[in-house]
Amino acid sequence: MRWGRIGATLVLGASTLGAAPPAADPAHLTGRVRAWRRAHEPAILREFADLLSLPNLASDAANIGRNADRIVTMLRQRGLSARLLDGRGGPPPVYGELVAPGARRTVLIYAHYDGQPVDANAWASPPWMPVLRDGPVEEGGREVSLESLPSAVPGEWRLYARSTGDDKAPIIGVLAALDALKAAGRAPTVNLKLFFEGEEEAGSPHMAEVLDANRETLRADLWLLCDGPVHQSRRMQVFFGARGETDVELTVYGPRRALHSGHYGNWAPNPAVLLAHLVAGLRDEDGRVLVPGFYDDVRPPTEAERQAASAVPDVEGALRHDLALAATEAGGARLPERILLPALNVRGLASGHVGASATNSIPTEAQASIDIRLVPDQTPENVRSRIEAHLRARGYTVVHEVPDLEARRTQPRIVRLVWGGGYPAARTSMDLPASRAVVKVLEDALGAPVVRMPTLGGSVPMYLFQQKTGSTVIGLPIANHDDNQHAANENLRLQNLWDGIEAYAAILSGLDAAWEERPPSVAERVERVQNGLLLPVVIQGQPLRAMKLADRMTHYHVPGVSIAVIHEGAIEWTRGFGSMSVNGSPVTPDTLFQAGSISKPVAAMAALRLVQEGKLDLDADVNLYLKAWTLPSNELTEKKKVTIRGLLSHTAGLTIHGFPGYAAGQPVPAVVQVLDGKEPANTKPVRVDILPGSQYRYSGGGYTVLQQLLADVTGKPFPRFMEEKILQPLQMAHSTYEQPLPANRANQAATPYGSKGEPVPGGPHTYPEMAAAGLWSTSADLARFAIGLQNALGGKSSLLSESTAREMVTPVLDGYGLGLGVQGSGPTLRFSHGGSDEGFESFFLAYAGTGNGAVVMTNGQQGSPLAMEIVRAIAREYGWPDLQPRERTIATIDPAIYDTYAGTYEIAPGNTFELSRAGEKLLVNSPGAETSELYPESRVRFFVLGLDVQLEFSLDEAGAATGVKLHGDGWEATARKIK
């Protein structure tokens, strides 16, 4: 039975919507939309039923085409320009467009008009014969004729048919909203595009091609993804992300034919038992996935996302009651928190027979069907790789085709994996102007708070829309949560449709006014960073002066720079600037730089992994682990032993601040020779000359002791150990501790330059002190290291436990933790490290809780101040809470006092700087850095414009300087005057 093509009866007035009148009160407009809807409910439902009566399987070309044609007609009746797009081999997407005169923004609404396959016998009524009931069919809801509806149709009634909720409801909802606005004398304030897909339930196999072919047509400032249900509380829901998905079919094998369980039981392997153990090894009873590295790529939720998840209405108790569940996983953790995590679900197991069909036999094979839900930064490819590696580690031979008998005879455990396609997760920042505008418009219009879900539990190809269009994508579903989506007796609760009409009307009429300026693109951010370098200090009364990166690179004689920016737990961008060598090839994101002392925190993380595994004790005497060399004892070590904690935190009392490396052609010593200061080593012996644990003193020597210790404990060369323990798990694919850099990678490496721009003779130095200074890396790889630690701090990593990660960023002395400098607290807690090898200087920092950070690598000996200027530009662009220029005041003092300050000052053996007077100026010079002027804040306290550091002089009774204390951002150091 059909109800006629009555859509035209809903369209009022002229064929097109005119320009919008001045903005009206949102609640008042919602009232007018509601009044129109109440007067037209029977007509809305009949038009909806007419659309639902068309079978809509994507594989049914004839009927899916009828659906598409019908929707085009419905759009044109409302004055939209509408047409079918080329489906690139699949059903045609329906495209409609309505231009709003003077509109500044464009909103695209996505839905799909295809549905899931049906088992008609399981339905209470034919799936494509819409039936209205006065309640849920499970509760005895009675049929109501669509031909004789009351003028006001109760919201608790339900319409039953395939695709009522998933996903034709948004189609009728947005068109009814346009009709209601027309009747109210209102027009959309945004340009409207409609994009209705015809094969979503088939996995959208042609969507990427369709998007590529229609990139300009589908360009919009905002995509509203109208697929899925509202919250279980029945409140309107906006979702900002969707989990990705992949799946796999597993088969394990037993005997080639079923065997008598009495004759062969306990002898022939039972594939059902093998499968049970295999599946149990993939996840535990609380849903924790046990595959090593599974959580390594997981991006931690932002603070805004955590707060939104906490604010979601609590429906767990009602759900447990409704679903007859006495308990839920993870100790009763809340559902919104759980769907922020990836999940591995066993959707089916099959082997042998049960019940009346059971036989006393050993089956020939056993099968499991598994789906895996992914969260941002996980990819189907990485998940597949880790699961297969896990199975191999458990003794299975992994195959992807049916194994032949010879393979089954020679391989004791075979598992066949057949992977589905899948796609990654996506998540839109809840802090974007568009995100805030959508929520505000809905709450203002509906008069009630909406549920803000950081991510939808289900999987929709949201990532594809983001990737292909570059648009902001937000979800606005309207279907009821209990709509039997994908199952028999799919239905739509009518109140959800009524609410949806009001929601769409509010978006179309009010979004422009609520929308602030669009968020900047990555390209715009990069450009502002390039042109916004900042000194650490601004003199009071003077304007803040932004500088260009190219100019500052010239100023510091730095040929090349590589930058990576971490935003909300992911690398947002990485760029190369300048050249690998003067007049050479350009720096790219893959260009290698020596990381210098940033080698230390990476090595520290590897040591802490061994601590976690019980192979090391942080507080044990290092000589318990050292074999090829032991640390000489003296009266200081008799009082207190040197520990691994002391090595990592520079509190072991060990000598040797840093290492100069070995120029090309020079003999390179073994690590033991470095530790004992024996030729050809170019540094003194590494020895204890301060009581261990009594003070912080930076010591590359201590990390060289650590390097020897790690090699002795593991029996592996240090570069190989680091590759296995850190670089591979964190996907630092370009990085290596090999010294010197292998010849086949030399063309990937930048050339080092001195402080005046002169090339380092012979090229990069070799550093046998690898843990202290030997890492070759890229800015993106170091960003992955920082993200790995951020993930661990959020409890989202199998690399380090949260407690171990917390210990790593807890200061031991003077703002230094276990391998890292640590500054700030709470939301401003950050960890960082700088690095300097001959002709290379780098710096990285990352915030522990916000998922933000930056890495800068350079091939110039004056790269450190340049790196900090870049970091300040990034901090300003991204609104970080600190790292902004400090305002200082210049005091007037007698320059004659500068004569008493002039001299050489020593922070540690080999680490000195010079102060000198030049007329009425006091100048500071340290090896490898430009000469800078010191500005007085008082008689004894000075600052430098180019460094975020203050110098405070210590004076003797005669007023002569005896030393100086350096105050930095979260650190202090003391230098004594030696001449």
Side-chain angles (χ1 to χ4, degrees), residues 148-180:
S148 55
L149 292 171
S151 57
V153 185
E156 292 305 318
W157 287 12
R158 299 196 179 208
L159 186 62
Y160 283 80
R162 175 54 88 217
S163 297
T164 46
D166 186 24
D167 186 37
K168 288 183 175 179
I171 298 175
I172 191 67
V174 71
L175 296 183
L178 287 170
D179 294 338

Side-chain angles (χ1 to χ4, degrees), residues 823-875:
Q823 298 87 32
S825 61
T828 65
L829 177 66
R830 65 183 191 272
F831 53 89
S832 63
H833 214 289
S836 178
D837 279 351
E838 190 69 24
F840 293 100
E841 292 201 340
S842 302
F843 179 77
F844 91 94
L845 69 84
Y847 287 88
T850 63
N852 297 326
V855 182
V856 181
M857 305 192 81
T858 79
N859 61 339
Q861 204 65 66
Q862 291 197 73
S864 288
L866 173 64
M868 294 311 302
E869 291 175 12
I870 294 169
V871 167
R872 280 185 286 274
I874 294 168

Side-chain angles (χ1 to χ4, degrees), residues 489-531:
N489 299 320
E490 183 178 351
N491 66 88
L492 182 72
R493 173 178 169 263
L494 296 188
Q495 190 60 49
N496 285 75
L497 178 57
W498 308 153
D499 293 343
I501 293 170
E502 294 176 10
Y504 293 138
I507 291 290
L508 296 176
S509 62
L511 189 62
D512 183 71
W515 195 329
E516 301 169 15
E517 287 302 313
R518 65 172 178 81
S521 68
V522 168
E524 290 168 334
R525 286 191 182 277
V526 172
E527 183 178 4
R528 284 200 288 266
V529 168
Q530 272 186 270
N531 295 303

Side-chain angles (χ1 to χ4, degrees), residues 597-605 608 645 647-650 696 698 703 782 785-786 788-790 793 800 804-823 829-834 843-846 848 970-971:
S597 289
I598 299 177
S599 308
K600 295 178 176 70
V602 183
M605 181 180 281
L608 289 171
R645 187 187 302 276
L647 299 179
L648 298 181
S649 61
H650 297 293
Y696 166 85
Y698 193 85
Y703 271 78
L782 291 183
F785 167 77
L789 183 51
Q790 288 173 329
L793 289 165
L800 283 186
T804 301
R806 285 289 164 198
E807 194 160 19
M808 193 172 182
V809 299
T810 299
V812 177
L813 283 175
D814 291 352
Y816 201 91
L818 301 184
L820 291 158
V822 184
Q823 298 87 32
L829 177 66
R830 65 183 191 272
F831 53 89
S832 63
H833 214 289
F843 179 77
F844 91 94
L845 69 84
W971 61 270

